[in-house]
Amino acid sequence: MVKEISHNVRNIGIMAHIDAGKTTTTERILFYTGKLHKMGEVHEGSATMDWMDQEKERGITITSAATTCYWDNYRINIIDTPGHVDFTAEVERSLRVLDGAIAIFCGVGGVEPQSETVWHQADKYHIPRIAFVNKMDRAGADFYNVLDMIQHRLKAKPVAVSLPIGSGEMFTGIIDLIQFKSIIYDNSALGAKYYLNDVPDDLREIAKKYRDKMLEEAANYDDGLFAKYLNGDVITPKEILGALRTGTLQNKIVPVCCGSAFKNKGVQPLLNAVIDFLPSPFDIPAVQGVNLKGTVIERRADVNEATSALIFKIMSDPHVGRLSFVRVYSGAIRKGEMIYNSTVDKRERVHRLLLMHANKREDREELSSGEIGALVGLKHSFTGHTLCDSKNPIILESMDFPEPVVSITIEPKSKADSENLSSALEKLSYEDPTFKITEDEETGQIIISGMGELHLEILVDRLLREFKIKAHVGKPQVSYRETVELEAEGEGIFDRQTGNKTQFAALKLTIAHDNTAEHGVIIHNEISKTAIPKEFFPAIERGIQNSVKSGIIAGYPLHKIRVTLTDAEYRENDSTELAYEIAAALALENALYKAKPAILEPIMFIEVSVPDAYLGDIINDLNSRRANITRMDKRNDINIVDGMIPLKELFGYATDLRSLSQGRAVFTVQFSSYEVCDKKLQREIVEKTRGFIPEFLQN
C-alpha cells in the first residue's frame, strides 16, 4: 500500500555565486535539524555535502548533492548546488525538479554574476524563492545594499522579514520583523541557543519602517489583512505569514532573511522561512508532458495518479553501480517493479530505491509523488528521460544544456589504459551532459570538451585518480564554431548505379546566418507536399544534421545557421532514403562555399573585482586581451569591472591577475555568445588545423 505523501514536505535547492556560503549554510541546517552531530567546514575539507576528494581539496562544490532532514515535523529534501560557472548544468538540472529555492547572497558582494545566472535559471522554471543575505559578520557587509541590488539587478521584489543587528564584528543577532522581536545568539552553544528580546531602542525606527513595508506588501495578497492594515488594527504573525506565503508562491515577492552561517547566526529563522514560505509538492501546478500522440497532458502530485518521474542526474557509485536520481511527480515507484521509459520506449526493472545523504544511502521500498531519490538497476535510462506507467505513458519536458567551449586531447599511455579510458569516459559522459567526447578523424586522438578549464581539470583528475587511468593530457583549446555571413543556395544531386539498381535524389536548399539558432541549425521545409513523399524528409534532415557536425573551413561544428529546403526531385523506382541523405549533405556543402563561411569564437562575460591601486594595470591588461569593457562600478572600496572577452584570451588569466594585483583582485566569467573572429585570427586557426589556407579563404 502506497502511503500518501504529506503536505509537510519541501523540495528545495540552495543556489548562489561561488563562495557565497551555500555549503556552509547547508552544514548548519543539517546540524540544527539533528542530521549531523558535528558541523563540517568547507575550508577544512570536512563539509558533508562536499564529499568528493576534488571538492574537499578545492573548497568548492562541484556536483549537486542531495540530502533529507526534518524541522518542526516537516521533511526538507535539499540539493546543494555548485556556484562555479563551469558547473551551471548541475544547477540547471537540479532546479528542473525542485519546488522552491534559497538564494544566498554575500552580505559584502551582494548580487554577483553567477547569482544572476542561477536566478534567471530559477525564473525559467518559475521557482518560488526566499533569499538569505549571508556573511553579515564580514567587514563591509551591507544588508540594505543587497536588498537594493536584488531589486535592481534581478528585477525582483525583495521583502525583508528580518534585519541585522549590527554588521561586521558588531553583528550580534537579527530582528524578526514578523514577531517584532530581536534574536540574540549564545555564542558558547554554536548558535543552538538564542534568546527573544525586545527590539533594541536604537533600531526601533528602522525596524518599524521595514515592518511597515512588509505589511504593505503582505496586504496585496490578503483582503482581510488589507482591511486591518488600513484601519490600523492588530495583525497577527499567522496572518502575515499566510499573506507573504501567497505572494511568494505566485513568484511576486522574495522574502529576505539575514545572518552568518559561519558564525551560526540566523539559520533557524531561515529554516522557519523555508517551512513558512516555500511550496510543498501540492502547492505547485500539475506537471505537464505529452502522451505518445503528442497531446499535452498533466499529472498531479497524487499517489493515485498514473506514475510519472523525471531522471535529472546520473551518478556512478563504486558500491552499487549507476545511480539514476529521479523526482517522482505522480504515483509511485516501487522496489522490484518494472518501470517504462517513455523517452526511449524501454522497460526497466528497479532493483533498489535509495534516499541519498550526500554519498551515503538509505534503502527504501518505494518513492511516492513529491519525493526525490535514486534508482539502482536502470540500463537504458539517462538524464532527461521520463519514467512512467506503460499503460498511461507521458513524456515530461527534458532539460537544455549549453554546448562545451573548451577542449583538450587525452591519449592513453598503454593498450590496457586505452580500454579503461573508453569505459571511464563513457561513465563520465553519462553523469555530465556538458561533457563531450569526440575523436579526431585525422590523428585518431581523443578530444574531450567541457564548460571551462576547471571543469576539464576536475574531469581529468577523476580519470587519473578515481578510474586509475594513465594518460597524456594536452593543453586546453578553444572549441570554435563555424557559420556563414551571406545567404546562398545549394543543389545536391545523387544519381548512382549500384549493382542492378539506380539510386537517385535531387535537392535544393538555401542557408543563411540566424542568431536564433542557438543549438546549431534550424531547418525549415518549404518543399511542396506533392514534390516528394513525406517519408523521405527524415532522411533529408538526417543528412543535414550529420553534415553540420563538421564545417568546411576547419572542421568545427556549424552554428547559428538556418537551412531552408526549397525544392526536390523524385523518381518513383529509383529514389531512396540513402540517396536523399547524401543529396542533402551535397547541397549543404555546395551552399556553404558560396555563403562566405566564417569561424565563431566563444565570448565570455567577465567581472573583475579590483582595489583602486591596481585598477589601471588591470584595465590595460584586459584591453591587451581584446576585452570590451561595458561597465565600471564601485562597491565600498572595490572597483567592479564588467566586460566581454574572448575565451582564447582567458587561458592563464588567473595567474596573471594574481601577479598584477598581488593576489587582491578576483574575477568570474560565464559564457555569453559565439561571435565571428577577425580575419587574422581565422587565418591562424585554419592554418593551425589544416596546415594551409584553402583557396576560397584567400580573398
Side-chain angles (χ1 to χ4, degrees), residues 16-22 42 59-60 83-84 106 112 134-135 138:
H17 186 86
I18 190 168
D19 203 32
K22 295 178 302 302
V42 174
I60 61 169
H84 196 284
C106 172
E112 296 167 284
N134 192 25
K135 301 193 176 185
R138 289 255 316 264

Side-chain angles (χ1 to χ4, degrees), residues 142-173:
D142 187 339
F143 175 76
Y144 304 100
N145 179 55
V146 180
L147 284 181
D148 189 57
M149 291 179 78
I150 292 172
Q151 182 175 346
H152 291 101
R153 291 191 75 163
L154 302 178
K155 309 300 182 211
K157 187 171 276 188
V159 177
V161 294
S162 65
L163 299 180
I165 299 175
S167 65
E169 292 182 359
M170 303 303 291
F171 177 63
T172 56

Side-chain angles (χ1 to χ4, degrees), residues 168-305:
E169 292 182 359
M170 303 303 291
F171 177 63
T172 56
I174 62 175
I175 297 170
D176 181 338
L177 294 177
I178 295 171
Q179 304 282 347
F180 208 66
K181 292 284 185 183
S182 67
I183 301 174
I184 306 297
Y185 287 85
D186 183 342
N187 291 330
S188 64
L190 293 175
K193 284 186 182 178
Y194 51 89
Y195 308 98
L196 285 178
N197 296 316
D198 291 334
V199 175
D201 290 340
D202 61 329
L203 293 175
R204 285 189 77 82
E205 189 175 333
I206 193 165
K208 189 172 184 310
K209 173 187 170 184
Y210 276 89
R211 179 178 163 83
D212 286 344
K213 282 186 176 183
M214 176 187 72
L215 291 175
E216 189 177 324
E217 195 57 50
N220 292 325
Y221 305 101
D222 186 310
D223 291 341
L225 191 152
F226 182 65
K228 281 189 170 185
Y229 178 70
L230 288 179
N231 295 330
D233 296 339
V234 174
I235 300 171
T236 67
K238 186 176 180 181
E239 290 172 315
I240 299 170
L241 290 172
L244 292 178
R245 178 178 180 81
T246 300
T248 306
L249 296 187
Q250 292 176 10
N251 263 317
K252 298 284 181 62
I253 61 172
V254 180
V256 184
C257 308
C258 63
S260 167
F262 183 59
K263 292 295 178 70
N264 313 311
K265 293 178 173 66
V267 179
Q268 295 94 332
L270 176 64
L271 278 164
N272 292 334
V274 168
I275 303 306
D276 293 334
F277 303 127
L278 293 182
S280 78
F282 295 93
D283 294 318
I284 62 170
V287 68
Q288 287 193 334
V290 295
N291 61 18
L292 299 185
K293 294 179 181 177
T295 307
V296 175
I297 54 176
E298 291 185 341
R299 291 279 192 271
R300 293 177 297 112
D302 186 339
V303 293
N304 298 313
E305 284 252 2

Side-chain angles (χ1 to χ4, degrees), residues 542-558:
R542 196 161 55 245
I544 292 168
Q545 293 289 7
N546 287 336
S547 295
V548 299
K549 293 176 183 176
S550 179
I552 61 169
I553 305 179
Y556 293 110
L558 293 172

Side-chain angles (χ1 to χ4, degrees), residues 687-699:
E687 202 156 14
K688 186 176 179 181
T689 53
R690 298 182 65 154
F692 65 97
I693 304 294
E695 190 175 332
F696 70 92
L697 285 177
Q698 289 181 6
N699 295 327

